[in-house]
Amino acid sequence: MADLSVNICGIDFKNPIIPASGVFGYGREYEEFYPLSKLGGIATKGTTGKLRTGNPAPRIAETPSGMLNSVGLQNPGIDAFIEKELPNLLHKDTVILANIAGATAEECAEVAGKLNDTDVHMIELNISCPNVKQGGAAFGTSCQMAEQVTKAVRNATKKPLVVKLSPNVTSITDIAKAVESAGADAVSLINTLLGMRIDIKTRRPVLRNNVGGLSGGAIFPIAVRMVWQVSNAVKIPIIGMGGVSSGEDAIELMLAGASAVQVGMACFTDPYAPIRIINEMNDFLDSQNIDTVREIVGTVQPW
Amino acid sequence: MADLSVNICGIDFKNPIIPASGVFGYGREYEEFYPLSKLGGIATKGTTGKLRTGNPAPRIAETPSGMLNSVGLQNPGIDAFIEKELPNLLHKDTVILANIAGATAEECAEVAGKLNDTDVHMIELNISCPNVKQGGAAFGTSCQMAEQVTKAVRNATKKPLVVKLSPNVTSITDIAKAVESAGADAVSLINTLLGMRIDIKTRRPVLRNNVGGLSGGAIFPIAVRMVWQVSNAVKIPIIGMGGVSSGEDAIELMLAGASAVQVGMACFTDPYAPIRIINEMNDFLDSQNIDTVREIVGTVQPW
Amino acid sequence: MKYTQGLYPIIEKKAIALDTYSFTLYCPEVADIAQAGQFVHILPENYGLRRPISIAGIDPENGTLRIVFAIRGKGTKALANMNEGQRMDMIAPLGHGFTLKPDAEHVVLVGGGIGVPPMLPLAKYYGNKATAISGFRSFRQVILQEDFEQFGTQVITCTEDGSAGAVKGFVTAPLEQFLSEGIDAVYACGPLVMLKAVAELCIRNKTYCEISLEERMACGVGACLGCACQTKDEKGEIHFQHVCKNGPVFKAEEVLF
Amino acid sequence: MKYTQGLYPIIEKKAIALDTYSFTLYCPEVADIAQAGQFVHILPENYGLRRPISIAGIDPENGTLRIVFAIRGKGTKALANMNEGQRMDMIAPLGHGFTLKPDAEHVVLVGGGIGVPPMLPLAKYYGNKATAISGFRSFRQVILQEDFEQFGTQVITCTEDGSAGAVKGFVTAPLEQFLSEGIDAVYACGPLVMLKAVAELCIRNKTYCEISLEERMACGVGACLGCACQTKDEKGEIHFQHVCKNGPVFKAEEVLF
Ligand SMILES: Cc1cc2nc3c(=O)[nH]c(=O)nc-3n(C[C@H](O)[C@H](O)[C@H](O)COP(=O)(O)OP(=O)(O)OC[C@H]3O[C@@H](n4cnc5c(N)ncnc54)[C@H](O)[C@@H]3O)c2cc1C
Ligand SMILES: Cc1cc2nc3c(=O)[nH]c(=O)nc-3n(C[C@H](O)[C@H](O)[C@H](O)COP(=O)(O)OP(=O)(O)OC[C@H]3O[C@@H](n4cnc5c(N)ncnc54)[C@H](O)[C@@H]3O)c2cc1C
Ligand SMILES: Cc1cc2nc3c(=O)[nH]c(=O)nc-3n(C[C@H](O)[C@H](O)[C@H](O)COP(=O)(O)O)c2cc1C
Ligand SMILES: Cc1cc2nc3c(=O)[nH]c(=O)nc-3n(C[C@H](O)[C@H](O)[C@H](O)COP(=O)(O)O)c2cc1C
Ligand code: FES
Ligand code: FES
């Protein structure tokens, strides 16, 4: 049995595997399959200041080794989250990353602030959502906006702040450096890539929202590349994700520089994916006589 | 039998299917499978001013529904191309798109200029390669650089100029508009997305170049989205590509706005892919009682 | 609710119409608890997303479940290519099913096309107290009519082109007849246009009606919010619900078409 | 060169060692023209890239081809799971093979591990004029020794741990022996370290030597430039060649290790 525990920003995780935000709700459904205490942590569905109904359906489309979603930020709002979901979750003996978002930096800061009085372990700030004040471009696509929203949230919370980066950019390292300098304690990446599918018979986009976020195995090589680039650009720890579906994939992202790994779409293919991945990581480390998973982080040897 | 012919920038194609640059060499090998005259056109391997040996091997890695390549711009140089490859190709009764590239705008212009005295039908300018004068960022990642290189090539040639866009950018529509205003007659997209794979046992990147270009079905939804966005942003025609492996995929890209479609990685899976795709397009159009493929271009109805 | 995920052997495969298959799976733990109107979420090999398929038969004695599906795309094609002895990767049972009315004297089961199969477990429950009105495009699509008869359920087969069955045209004509005579409940599954027509008729007639909806799904268990549908409550307030968890069965008056 | 792509039925499947399989395929048009040292490019179902596998047997009379491969990753695993009667999607024959020397009196075939199979067609050609020196890690990996004997070829089996065969250690020791006695040609396939050692020995001894290289491939036919390898000509000038088209067999002195 390899030692799978990791520590990120002072928070202990019993293992590096975390179901990603948006795929796991608040854990209630997957708890019917296995105890949540087996997980390193849980990233909860993105929460905003007020209730949001999300985008109209259809919200799901299949793609080669991947999928698109246009759920949008459907959520009950931060107050309902704190009142109805968090107390239950905090008793599950696993690290809770509260994923938050907003249409303005102020909204993000307000949401983060409301979490100060809770025992949530970390805040994961999703900067892929459109900034209404700046004409709707995503916070995550410009260094200034990324910096601004990170600063605002940084000022609102003392909790470890993980900023979740968008891959839909020319240079993810620039954004990573901007949020690092603005006070992020860690970064997580990658969020989904923007994609589209069209029903060729009806000539309508499959998603009612026309476009949606691409996730799954298809984006894995992009995630590996971006985690590696970012790990060479910043000093803060990285939580990697994007298309991880096996223990080997998780190891690969950790070699590239991730200290922990989130699992998204794979939970749909196999609800037990996070548990299976934890076991497969252990088996791999044992087979290579590696004592602790921490020792492999960032140890890829570039040519 | 539907009418599959299309016309782009005044050039007639007997059908919209074109093997993509870099996967088909100069056609010699695939000619052993079928006559090249069946193809709408051929985009030749990227050619530079002088011979280039490309990157060291391994140059190929597999990914979920896709692959990475780091061939680099291995090619014999424009003079050898014109002398040894082009004369043969121009007798194949198919449209030849000479894909060109260079490390500086001047090199690109010089290569284009040398093609003036040939009967090559179109020039496809690949702006995904690094601009050595501007510190190595790809021409295709900034509007100014894209404009500059397009203008230089525009001034060097009267042939129809297709500019091939990189998807590794925050806003592909901005780049498309920049090259349109700089005189491009058409755009082609998408080139590969930057990705990476690591061998978890050796801890070495699979590619000797560390990173490489992602192509194949995995990127198809990104291609559809980008073609759709660009078709809403520019007036010039679009040649679409990225992960097309069936007639249905080709139709989908054309609905999104492409006037013709290139086929890359699918040629490796199935050397007959371009021929099969032409047949499948025809079958689909027939089944929907559509007389000509031209009539579907850009007819997706967004919600 | 406890979900089960497992690999369940196919013990019978039958082609029952053009591109339409019936599979019987051995899965006692699911057969023990499954209810009419629930569905299973099946993973075709080499695909990333599961396919939701209604439960068309529940046999706790033999520990089997039956599903009936049509080939619509690549995933259902892959499932249709599976054979007896192979195992289907399935999460089940999912969703909440139809409300059974033990005191009902006459209920009508309205199925349209591939919406007919989920009516079968209701026919098993209601037996000769049920009438199954099934609508199909033509004789080529007609399925499962003899299965209803086996449960003693009265069968009314409709085809749009009149190529089979007693009724030429839509399911709504015979349904209106029964509604006017007075019935206790209507259950429906099928294309959206049909469901809308059925719901409107029942609401106008103040007859209890439940319908089963479809939506594209990812998780199938209520976690991803992928399968949203809008519903309205008695006060007319609009809610977002999820077909996989809150449905697939909804009360007719809840659904916002 | 004409390439053939087709679906060829598996007529025999045999497990011949730990995770190592021998498949015989029926493909007369390929068997008719294939040469020792050429390879086939096989598509595992649901994968995007084909896998290059050397030809281990050519039987034009029966119209069959034999391949022998080890499970190394997902693709070879998928191929190993195929069964008799199923069809392999193959492009063949590819590359250019070994140079056959009709006048040779004694040649040595050096195979290392899964590099042994491509030596078999050479053994068939040279019969008792050939000696096959095969190296393996241990007895668990030993394959095909009796196949060489069947062609009358002398067999020298080496294992690193001495758990099988006459020689404990590497193939180089017996090879040096033959080189010093004088032989007409050496053909080799196996791990790069082995090939390098073999090439150096032969060059030093001025013995004609050809080796078969491996590289990751996409097209397999010479179009994508994916499988580059560096070679040097007599003048010492460096060239980029491609394993799939210019190889996989190269002259020892050409290869830049
Ligand atoms: C609750 C429920 C019960 C169902 N019961 C049955 C049944 O008993 N028999 C039957 O034949 N069909 C049933 N369907 C429809 C069935 O799920 C689709 O036909 C099937 O998912 C199509 O998959 P595909 O791979 O063949 O099509 P593709 O078009 O290749 O699928 C692409 C993606 O779209 C999804 N999708 C496509 N059509 C539908 C649809 N109508 N509903 C939901 N998702 C869709 C697929 O699941 C997949 O994720 C049911 C759907 C739902 C939601
Ligand atoms: C000319 C030639 C002849 C060969 N002959 C044989 C043979 O007779 N028997 C045999 O067992 N093996 C042979 N190999 C090696 C065989 O091709 C690989 O073991 C196989 O491709 C691994 O595929 P995989 O899916 O199992 O591994 P994965 O690691 O999952 O494959 C991932 C990708 O890397 C490629 N790859 C991985 N290893 C190699 C390799 N060593 N060489 C080339 N590509 C590789 C795969 O083709 C695939 O594209 C030969 C290779 C070449 C180039
Ligand atoms: C249905 C769905 C909903 C998602 N919702 C959110 C969200 O609310 N906030 C967020 O930061 N990321 C969200 N994501 C992105 C994932 O957390 C993750 O970054 C992405 O899916 C890539 O990982 P994967 O390839 O493993 O799925 C969502 C993804 C999916 C598939
Ligand atoms: C092996 C390989 C080599 C390529 N070389 C070039 C090139 O020289 N010039 C160029 O513009 N694009 C090149 N491309 C990109 C393709 O032309 C195409 O844009 C990309 O592969 C996406 O299409 P696909 O998904 O259908 O492969 C290359 C792609 C591959 C796979
Ligand atoms: S499919 Fe995930 S919530 Fe319904
Ligand atoms: S694999 Fe394409 S050139 Fe060799």
Side-chain angles (χ1 to χ4, degrees):
Chain A
M1 280 296 291
D3 175 1
L4 290 180
S5 68
V6 296
N7 182 296
I8 301 175
C9 312
I11 308 289
D12 283 319
F13 292 71
K14 62 182 74 135
N15 64 60
I17 298 301
I18 306 163
S21 174
V23 305
F24 215 69
Y26 307 107
R28 291 187 189 279
E29 292 77 19
Y30 287 96
E31 197 169 14
E32 305 298 332
F33 292 102
Y34 42 83
L36 303 181
S37 61
K38 301 224 174 210
L39 302 167
I42 296 174
T44 54
K45 174 69 192 169
T47 303
T48 51
K50 296 263 166 307
L51 174 149
R52 286 212 193 193
T53 54
N55 295 314
R59 293 175 168 186
I60 303 287
E62 200 176 37
T63 73
S65 294
M67 63 174 281
L68 298 174
N69 90 81
S70 59
V71 168
L73 284 171
Q74 179 182 347
N75 80 92
I78 185 66
D79 295 334
F81 170 72
I82 291 174
E83 196 183 316
K84 297 197 188 128
E85 303 292 349
L86 200 51
N88 174 50
L89 266 176
L90 289 171
H91 285 103
K92 299 301 176 186
D93 185 22
T94 188
V95 174
I96 304 301
L97 294 86
N99 183 287
I100 67 166
T104 60
E106 295 73 31
E107 181 181 351
C108 294
E110 184 203 323
V111 174
K114 289 198 173 170
L115 290 163
N116 276 335
D117 297 334
T118 71
D119 288 329
V120 79
H121 304 91
M122 301 179 109
I123 290 179
E124 185 181 56
L125 170 65
N126 171 9
I127 60 171
S128 299
C129 36
N131 177 354
V132 292
K133 283 210 179 154
Q134 300 277 330
F139 281 108
T141 57
S142 111
C143 290
Q144 296 96 300
M145 286 195 289
E147 210 178 301
Q148 176 212 344
V149 67
T150 305
K151 274 198 181 137
V153 174
R154 174 74 297 167
N155 290 334
T157 183
K158 295 231 158 40
K159 293 199 186 278
L161 173 60
V162 187
V163 178
K164 183 165 174 181
L165 308 181
S166 163
N168 299 296
V169 294
T170 307
S171 168
I172 196 160
T173 52
D174 288 345
I175 310 280
K177 284 189 257 182
V179 306
E180 178 182 47
S181 76
D185 298 306
V187 285
S188 61
L189 61 146
I190 60 176
N191 213 314
T192 55
L193 282 130
L194 201 61
M196 182 179 195
R197 288 305 304 267
I198 298 169
D199 181 321
I200 61 173
K201 286 192 182 150
T202 63
R203 301 195 187 180
R204 285 285 199 178
V206 173
L207 300 176
R208 189 67 166 69
N209 190 48
N210 296 323
V211 295
L214 178 65
S215 59
I219 69 170
F220 180 64
I222 301 173
V224 175
R225 184 262 294 183
M226 289 188 164
V227 166
W228 181 64
Q229 287 181 325
V230 169
S231 82
N232 288 323
V234 300
K235 295 202 181 58
I236 51 180
I238 297 170
I239 301 177
M241 78 194 87
V244 171
S245 72
S246 70
E248 286 75 20
D249 294 345
I251 298 278
E252 193 168 332
L253 271 191
M254 294 185 78
L255 290 171
S259 297
V261 171
Q262 294 189 17
V263 178
M265 177 183 172
C267 296
F268 305 149
T269 314
D270 172 10
Y272 290 94
I275 306 299
R276 179 175 46 76
I277 290 170
I278 293 166
N279 292 335
E280 289 169 353
M281 289 182 85
N282 180 65
D283 292 348
F284 176 80
L285 294 172
D286 282 354
S287 78
Q288 304 287 304
N289 296 312
I290 300 169
D291 291 336
T292 149
V293 73
R294 295 186 294 282
E295 114 196 357
I296 70 164
V297 174
T299 58
V300 62
Q301 290 181 270
W303 294 101
Chain B
M1 280 296 291
D3 176 0
L4 290 180
S5 68
V6 296
N7 181 296
I8 301 175
C9 312
I11 308 289
D12 284 317
F13 292 71
K14 61 182 74 137
N15 64 60
I17 298 301
I18 306 163
S21 175
V23 306
F24 216 68
Y26 306 107
R28 292 187 190 278
E29 291 78 18
Y30 287 96
E31 198 170 13
E32 306 297 332
F33 292 103
Y34 43 82
L36 303 180
S37 61
K38 300 225 175 210
L39 302 167
I42 297 174
T44 53
K45 174 68 192 170
T47 304
T48 51
K50 297 262 167 307
L51 174 150
R52 286 213 194 193
T53 53
N55 295 313
R59 294 175 167 188
I60 304 287
E62 200 175 39
T63 74
S65 294
M67 63 175 280
L68 298 175
N69 90 80
S70 59
V71 168
L73 285 172
Q74 180 182 346
N75 79 92
I78 186 66
D79 296 333
F81 171 70
I82 292 175
E83 195 184 316
K84 296 198 190 128
E85 302 293 349
L86 201 50
N88 174 50
L89 266 175
L90 288 171
H91 284 105
K92 299 300 177 187
D93 186 23
T94 189
V95 175
I96 304 301
L97 293 87
N99 184 287
I100 66 166
T104 61
E106 295 72 32
E107 181 181 351
C108 295
E110 184 204 323
V111 174
K114 290 198 172 172
L115 290 163
N116 275 335
D117 297 333
T118 72
D119 288 330
V120 78
H121 303 91
M122 302 179 107
I123 290 178
E124 185 181 54
L125 170 64
N126 172 9
I127 60 171
S128 299
C129 36
N131 178 355
V132 291
K133 284 213 179 153
Q134 300 275 328
F139 281 108
T141 57
S142 112
C143 291
Q144 296 96 296
M145 286 195 289
E147 211 178 301
Q148 177 213 343
V149 67
T150 305
K151 274 198 181 136
V153 174
R154 175 74 294 167
N155 290 335
T157 182
K158 293 229 156 44
K159 295 201 185 275
L161 173 59
V162 187
V163 178
K164 182 164 175 184
L165 308 181
S166 163
N168 298 298
V169 294
T170 307
S171 169
I172 196 161
T173 53
D174 288 344
I175 310 278
K177 284 189 257 184
V179 305
E180 178 182 46
S181 77
D185 298 307
V187 286
S188 62
L189 61 145
I190 58 178
N191 214 314
T192 54
L193 283 129
L194 201 62
M196 182 179 195
R197 289 305 303 270
I198 299 168
D199 181 321
I200 61 172
K201 286 191 183 150
T202 64
R203 301 196 188 179
R204 286 286 199 176
V206 173
L207 300 176
R208 190 68 167 67
N209 190 49
N210 296 324
V211 296
L214 178 64
S215 59
I219 70 171
F220 180 65
I222 300 173
V224 175
R225 184 262 294 184
M226 289 188 164
V227 166
W228 181 64
Q229 288 181 324
V230 168
S231 81
N232 288 322
V234 299
K235 294 201 180 59
I236 51 179
I238 296 169
I239 301 178
M241 79 195 85
V244 171
S245 72
S246 70
E248 287 73 21
D249 293 345
I251 298 278
E252 192 168 333
L253 270 191
M254 293 186 79
L255 290 170
S259 297
V261 172
Q262 294 189 16
V263 178
M265 177 183 172
C267 296
F268 305 149
T269 314
D270 172 10
Y272 290 94
I275 307 297
R276 179 174 48 74
I277 290 170
I278 294 165
N279 292 334
E280 288 169 353
M281 290 182 86
N282 179 65
D283 293 348
F284 176 80
L285 294 171
D286 283 354
S287 78
Q288 303 286 304
N289 296 312
I290 300 169
D291 291 334
T292 148
V293 73
R294 295 185 294 283
E295 115 195 354
I296 70 164
V297 174
T299 58
V300 60
Q301 291 182 268
W303 295 100
Chain C
M1 205 181 302
K2 267 268 166 252
Y3 306 123
T4 309
Q5 183 259 341
L7 289 168
Y8 299 103
I10 299 165
I11 57 172
E12 194 185 68
K13 171 185 179 173
K14 269 199 288 193
I16 61 170
L18 180 67
D19 281 345
T20 309
Y21 292 84
S22 167
F23 280 83
T24 304
L25 306 171
Y26 182 69
C27 44
E29 66 269 36
V30 181
D32 262 357
I33 56 169
Q35 286 164 18
Q38 288 189 302
F39 69 98
V40 301
H41 213 28
I42 308 180
L43 184 66
E45 219 187 321
N46 293 303
Y47 284 79
L49 291 180
R50 292 169 179 269
R51 268 58 179 172
I53 303 288
S54 300
I55 295 175
I58 309 163
D59 186 342
E61 286 83 53
N62 292 308
T64 64
L65 222 58
R66 181 184 185 187
I67 55 171
V68 173
F69 63 89
I71 297 181
R72 281 292 147 78
K74 293 179 189 171
T76 45
K77 175 109 194 193
L79 294 180
N81 282 339
M82 294 186 74
N83 288 311
E84 290 170 10
Q86 289 186 287
R87 281 129 55 99
M88 280 191 169
D89 182 339
M90 188 167 90
I91 307 180
L94 297 178
H96 88 96
F98 293 108
T99 312
L100 302 177
K101 309 228 154 195
D103 302 332
E105 283 175 9
H106 188 196
V107 303
V108 173
L109 318 176
V110 185
I114 202 64
V116 170
M119 295 298 122
L120 274 183
L122 291 171
K124 184 177 181 188
Y125 179 80
Y126 287 112
N128 62 11
K129 291 181 186 157
T131 300
I133 309 178
S134 309
F136 305 95
R137 239 171 309 133
S138 82
F139 73 96
R140 261 186 228 87
Q141 283 80 33
V142 175
I143 49 170
L144 305 177
Q145 300 304 289
E146 57 293 354
D147 294 73
F148 284 108
E149 278 166 356
Q150 218 176 287
F151 294 126
T153 297
Q154 189 197 347
V155 161
I156 299 176
T157 313
C158 317
T159 51
E160 289 175 32
D161 64 359
S163 60
V167 178
K168 174 174 174 174
F170 297 107
V171 293
T172 37
L175 174 62
E176 279 192 88
Q177 181 67 29
F178 285 110
L179 283 171
S180 69
E181 288 168 12
I183 47 181
D184 297 309
V186 173
Y187 303 93
C189 183
L192 215 58
V193 275
M194 184 200 94
L195 294 180
K196 193 173 173 192
V198 169
E200 278 167 5
L201 285 177
C202 292
I203 291 169
R204 203 182 312 140
N205 269 271
K206 301 203 166 53
T207 304
Y208 185 81
C209 173
E210 287 186 347
I211 62 182
S212 178
L213 295 183
E214 288 191 3
E215 195 43 78
R216 292 186 178 235
M217 294 185 179
C219 72
V221 297
C224 75
L225 314 183
C227 60
C229 66
Q230 286 183 299
T231 58
K232 54 178 192 295
D233 61 20
E234 304 93 67
K235 293 175 238 148
E237 259 179 63
I238 290 174
H239 297 272
F240 265 69
Q241 296 208 58
H242 295 95
V243 171
C244 71
K245 194 172 184 178
N246 311 112
V249 176
F250 292 92
K251 294 202 174 70
E253 60 270 22
E254 273 184 300
V255 178
L256 262 181
F257 284 99
Chain D
M1 206 183 299
K2 268 268 164 254
Y3 306 124
T4 309
Q5 183 259 341
L7 289 167
Y8 300 103
I10 299 164
I11 57 173
E12 194 186 65
K13 169 183 179 174
K14 270 199 287 194
I16 60 169
L18 181 67
D19 281 343
T20 308
Y21 291 85
S22 166
F23 279 83
T24 305
L25 306 171
Y26 182 69
C27 45
E29 67 268 37
V30 182
D32 262 355
I33 55 171
Q35 287 164 19
Q38 288 189 302
F39 68 96
V40 301
H41 213 28
I42 309 180
L43 185 66
E45 219 188 320
N46 293 304
Y47 283 80
L49 291 180
R50 293 169 179 269
R51 268 59 177 171
I53 302 289
S54 299
I55 295 175
I58 310 164
D59 186 343
E61 287 81 52
N62 292 307
T64 62
L65 222 59
R66 181 184 185 187
I67 55 172
V68 173
F69 62 88
I71 297 181
R72 281 292 146 77
K74 292 180 188 171
T76 45
K77 174 109 194 196
L79 294 179
N81 281 338
M82 294 187 75
N83 286 311
E84 290 171 10
Q86 289 185 289
R87 279 128 58 95
M88 281 191 168
D89 183 338
M90 187 166 92
I91 307 180
L94 298 179
H96 89 96
F98 292 106
T99 311
L100 302 178
K101 311 228 152 193
D103 301 331
E105 283 174 9
H106 189 195
V107 304
V108 173
L109 318 176
V110 185
I114 202 64
V116 170
M119 295 299 124
L120 274 184
L122 290 172
K124 185 176 180 188
Y125 178 79
Y126 287 111
N128 62 11
K129 293 182 185 155
T131 300
I133 310 178
S134 309
F136 304 95
R137 238 170 308 135
S138 82
F139 72 95
R140 261 187 226 88
Q141 283 81 34
V142 175
I143 50 170
L144 303 176
Q145 300 304 291
E146 57 295 352
D147 295 73
F148 283 107
E149 278 166 357
Q150 219 175 286
F151 295 126
T153 297
Q154 187 199 349
V155 162
I156 300 178
T157 312
C158 318
T159 50
E160 289 176 33
D161 62 359
S163 59
V167 178
K168 175 174 174 174
F170 297 108
V171 293
T172 35
L175 173 62
E176 281 190 270
Q177 181 67 28
F178 286 110
L179 284 171
S180 68
E181 291 168 11
I183 47 180
D184 298 308
V186 173
Y187 303 93
C189 184
L192 215 58
V193 274
M194 183 200 93
L195 294 180
K196 197 175 170 187
V198 169
E200 279 168 4
L201 286 177
C202 293
I203 291 169
R204 204 181 311 141
N205 270 271
K206 299 202 164 55
T207 303
Y208 186 81
C209 174
E210 288 186 347
I211 63 181
S212 178
L213 295 183
E214 290 191 1
E215 194 43 80
R216 292 186 178 236
M217 295 185 179
C219 72
V221 297
C224 76
L225 314 183
C227 60
C229 67
Q230 287 183 298
T231 57
K232 55 176 188 299
D233 60 19
E234 303 94 66
K235 293 175 241 150
E237 261 181 60
I238 290 176
H239 297 271
F240 266 70
Q241 297 208 57
H242 295 95
V243 172
C244 70
K245 197 175 185 177
N246 311 111
V249 175
F250 292 91
K251 295 203 175 68
E253 61 271 21
E254 274 185 300
V255 178
L256 263 180
F257 284 100

